[in-house]
Amino acid sequence: MKIEKLIRTREPYQERLFDSFLIENIKSYEELMEVYQTYKQNHPDKTIILTLDDLGQAEYTSGHACDYNSLLDTEGYDLSGLDKACYDEDNEHLGHLSTPSEYFIIRENFLKQTKGIDFETVCKKDISNSEDDVLDLENINESPLAFLDQQVVMKILPVEQPYEGLTGFPNGYFDADFSPFENYALSKHLFETYNLELFGIGASFLGFIKNDPLKDNELKALVTDLAKLYNTTESEFEKLADIIKNKKHLFLRYTE
């Protein structure tokens, strides 16, 4: 496996606000998660987020999600006291976010738009759920590596809660998908209810780590939540429940 620091000279521009590392030559999902756990332990005050499926598409839609939702807008913020690199030769702010000292801006812009959105709101999205969609969920949870891009970007974000990792890589751009703020509400619900910790987001999937094995009643409740989330019956997820019962992860689709 090859890991190297990523220097951004192109979109998504928000990645200039934190450290990112490009991971290549991944031999197994377990190997990737060992890297994740190592960086997580080495940065206990931060959140680690990995990209998952279709890196190029995920970066493209994340950039558009930032623009569409004005997440990089500096209006209304005190821009004094930032890193010197944020200012031009006349000591005026450059007009765009370019240093880690400005991360608080994208975070606050994001969190402002999560108000009033909870798990029940997300369930009302009425996202479609075909047989192929259920099969995809079963397959990615059984064999995650087959769905990951050959290149994975690891982001080290200056936030404490795992679901706040979405403030650095917001996704959910198309109308039929869960929005970035609905993904936030979903991820927060799963963390607070089942201790499922968001660790990754791709062009179509969210990835969660199970810190503790789910008890039978918790697994049953989770299946009930998934049925509500995807507007279907619990019986649709019987096989998925068997797959994730003894896994340390859960992958969910946020796109139609």
Side-chain angles (χ1 to χ4, degrees), residues 48-208:
I48 311 298
I49 293 292
L50 302 176
T51 59
L52 302 175
D53 55 295
D54 200 343
L55 176 59
Q57 180 69 19
E59 290 185 337
Y60 176 79
T61 50
S62 183
H64 278 287
C66 284
D67 293 339
Y68 181 77
N69 295 291
S70 302
L71 298 181
L72 305 179
D73 192 346
T74 62
E75 185 176 355
Y77 290 99
D78 181 2
L79 302 180
S80 62
L82 299 174
D83 190 289
K84 292 181 180 180
C86 300
Y87 309 99
D88 62 21
E89 57 186 14
D90 297 320
N91 206 32
E92 295 289 333
H93 188 264
L94 295 175
H96 60 270
L97 308 186
S98 58
T99 72
S101 68
E102 300 162 290
Y103 189 89
F104 75 95
I105 296 174
I106 187 174
R107 179 180 180 274
E108 290 304 312
N109 283 336
F110 187 104
L111 294 180
K112 286 175 185 176
Q113 298 182 65
T114 65
K115 307 300 183 185
I117 301 176
D118 57 14
F119 179 67
E120 295 301 323
T121 305
V122 182
C123 291
K124 294 177 182 177
K125 187 75 172 191
D126 196 28
I127 196 169
S128 70
N129 192 67
S130 67
E131 290 184 8
D132 287 343
D133 293 327
V134 175
L135 183 60
D136 279 346
L137 284 181
E138 293 170 355
N139 288 338
I140 190 173
N141 280 282
E142 185 66 61
S143 304
L145 185 64
F147 284 76
L148 297 183
D149 200 287
Q150 293 182 348
Q151 293 183 318
V152 169
V153 176
M154 176 172 57
K155 309 163 193 300
I156 303 178
L157 305 169
V159 294
E160 293 185 6
Q161 301 296 347
Y163 47 85
E164 287 188 343
L166 291 170
T167 63
F169 195 56
N171 238 309
Y173 172 68
F174 299 106
D175 289 341
D177 304 340
F178 296 150
S179 73
F181 318 112
E182 289 166 338
N183 279 333
Y184 176 93
L186 170 59
S187 300
K188 184 178 181 181
H189 171 76
L190 294 177
F191 179 70
E192 294 179 342
T193 308
Y194 305 104
N195 198 23
L196 286 164
E197 182 177 294
L198 181 75
F199 79 90
I201 181 169
S204 299
F205 293 97
L206 299 169
F208 301 87

Side-chain angles (χ1 to χ4, degrees), residues 12-78:
Y13 298 119
Q14 74 270 18
E15 295 211 0
R16 299 175 183 176
L17 308 183
F18 48 84
D19 286 338
S20 295
F21 293 83
L22 181 64
I23 305 175
E24 299 179 291
N25 303 326
I26 303 168
K27 300 298 189 295
S28 70
Y29 173 72
E30 290 73 21
E31 181 184 37
L32 177 63
M33 296 313 296
E34 286 179 7
V35 171
Y36 168 83
Q37 292 293 353
T38 297
Y39 276 79
K40 180 182 173 183
Q41 291 170 10
N42 291 340
H43 299 84
D45 58 336
K46 296 185 178 180
T47 288
I48 311 298
I49 293 292
L50 302 176
T51 59
L52 302 175
D53 55 295
D54 200 343
L55 176 59
Q57 180 69 19
E59 290 185 337
Y60 176 79
T61 50
S62 183
H64 278 287
C66 284
D67 293 339
Y68 181 77
N69 295 291
S70 302
L71 298 181
L72 305 179
D73 192 346
T74 62
E75 185 176 355
Y77 290 99
D78 181 2

